[in-house]
Amino acid sequence: MTWLFQFWRSSIGGKVIMAITGFLLFGFVIAHLLGNLQLLSGPDKINAYAKMLHDLGPLLWVARIGLLAIFVLHVATGIRLSRANKAARPVPYAREATLQATFASRSMVLTGLSLLAFIVYHLLHFTLGVTNPEHYARKAAGAGGHDVYAMVTTSFSNPAIVAAYVVFQVVLFFHLKHGIQSLAQTLGLSHRRFMAMIQKLSFLLAAVLAGGNAILALSVLFGIVKAAQ
Ligand code: HEM
């Protein structure tokens, strides 16, 4: 166990852990968006999908606890690496490239912590039904307690909630864009030959994922996806 802790404490170990956990979380964001896109096919599809997930029973809990562990490790390692970076160089370099790197990594901590706040809100909203119990009640009232379509569409009929989701998708965009670039760097792909391609690819992937989530919320608000009666 000590060697594992020492690996986590080392600078290279920290980067490897950030890359692996970041990659897994990236996979979750893709899978979650693909699942949510079923909103566009109407209530039956997304409700059947939610029921299928809930019917996994204990397996769903294993996945949830695994996701939480990956998330906690990602946040804790990110904060530790950023502190170590700051401690190693209390006075920043004068060269512009390094200043840009410092800004990027500082903004990662900021966008990361903002996403943490979003996820806490999101769980209180959709998974635990604390922030808007009236939305959550619509889910429970559906057949077998799985009317996720009614819960999500009632929520996104509220402009303030949609505005909050859209703002957090902008934050998600910046976090993913830089995260994908960092992952490429850890994998040794930071050669000048690849840089332009990695920058374009990270922009595109982050825009599709964050934009996809934002478009879903806006589609309900503007009546493209019909709100449940
Ligand atoms: C328009 C965008 C989104 C919609 C409509 C949406 C919808 C939902 C719904 C309905 C649930 C609860 C599922 C249930 O209990 O049956 C959920 C859970 C969750 N969402 Fe989202 N989500 C969105 C964006 C995001 C984003 C951007 C993230 C993370 C970056 C995220 C992370 C999570 C997590 C971690 C859970 C908990 C999973 C679980 O309870 O098993 N969601 N989401």
Side-chain angles (χ1 to χ4, degrees):
M1 240 16 212
T2 0
W3 68 267
L4 206 63
F5 184 66
Q6 270 170 2
F7 181 68
W8 179 75
R9 296 277 310 167
S10 72
S11 145
I12 184 73
K15 278 189 197 308
V16 169
I17 288 168
M18 284 311 275
I20 296 173
T21 53
F23 181 74
L24 293 172
L25 291 170
F26 179 59
F28 169 78
V29 173
I30 297 177
H32 196 42
L33 174 62
L34 289 177
N36 290 337
L37 280 177
Q38 300 195 40
L39 263 183
L40 302 175
S41 315
D44 294 348
K45 272 270 156 67
I46 190 148
N47 288 343
Y49 170 68
K51 184 172 181 331
M52 185 269 288
L53 283 183
H54 281 255
D55 286 351
L56 291 175
L59 262 184
L60 177 65
W61 278 102
V62 172
R64 279 174 164 166
I65 292 166
L67 184 64
L68 182 68
I70 292 167
F71 189 70
V72 168
L73 196 57
H74 190 76
V75 174
T77 313
I79 291 175
R80 191 189 64 70
L81 281 179
S82 140
R83 281 187 165 176
N85 275 349
K86 233 183 259 168
R89 181 147 300 277
V91 181
Y93 286 116
R95 276 182 50 218
E96 203 191 326
T98 318
L99 278 180
Q100 272 174 7
T102 314
F103 172 74
S105 53
R106 201 179 300 149
S107 75
M108 280 308 267
V109 176
L110 240 145
T111 52
L113 290 178
S114 310
L115 283 176
L116 174 64
F118 165 74
I119 289 168
V120 171
Y121 163 68
H122 187 54
L123 294 181
L124 291 175
H125 184 195
F126 282 154
T127 303
L128 301 170
V130 174
T131 56
N132 292 83
E134 73 282 12
H135 299 164
Y136 195 70
R138 302 232 33 197
K139 168 171 144 176
H146 289 290
D147 202 349
V148 168
Y149 184 88
M151 174 176 75
V152 172
T153 54
T154 328
S155 300
F156 291 156
S157 301
N158 178 334
I161 292 182
V162 172
Y165 269 78
V166 171
V167 167
F168 278 112
Q169 297 318 305
V170 175
V171 175
L172 179 67
F173 167 79
F174 284 110
H175 194 83
L176 283 179
K177 186 169 84 70
H178 183 70
I180 295 167
Q181 287 172 13
S182 295
L183 177 66
Q185 197 173 30
T186 305
L187 293 175
L189 298 174
S190 53
H191 191 278
R192 197 179 286 172
R193 204 158 18 123
F194 303 121
M195 277 319 275
M197 196 187 72
I198 287 167
Q199 269 169 7
K200 276 188 201 137
L201 193 69
S202 62
F203 182 95
L204 192 76
L205 287 171
V208 167
L209 291 172
N213 284 324
I215 286 170
L216 271 183
L218 289 166
S219 302
V220 177
L221 184 66
F222 292 115
I224 298 164
V225 171
K226 296 274 169 281
Q229 295 310 306

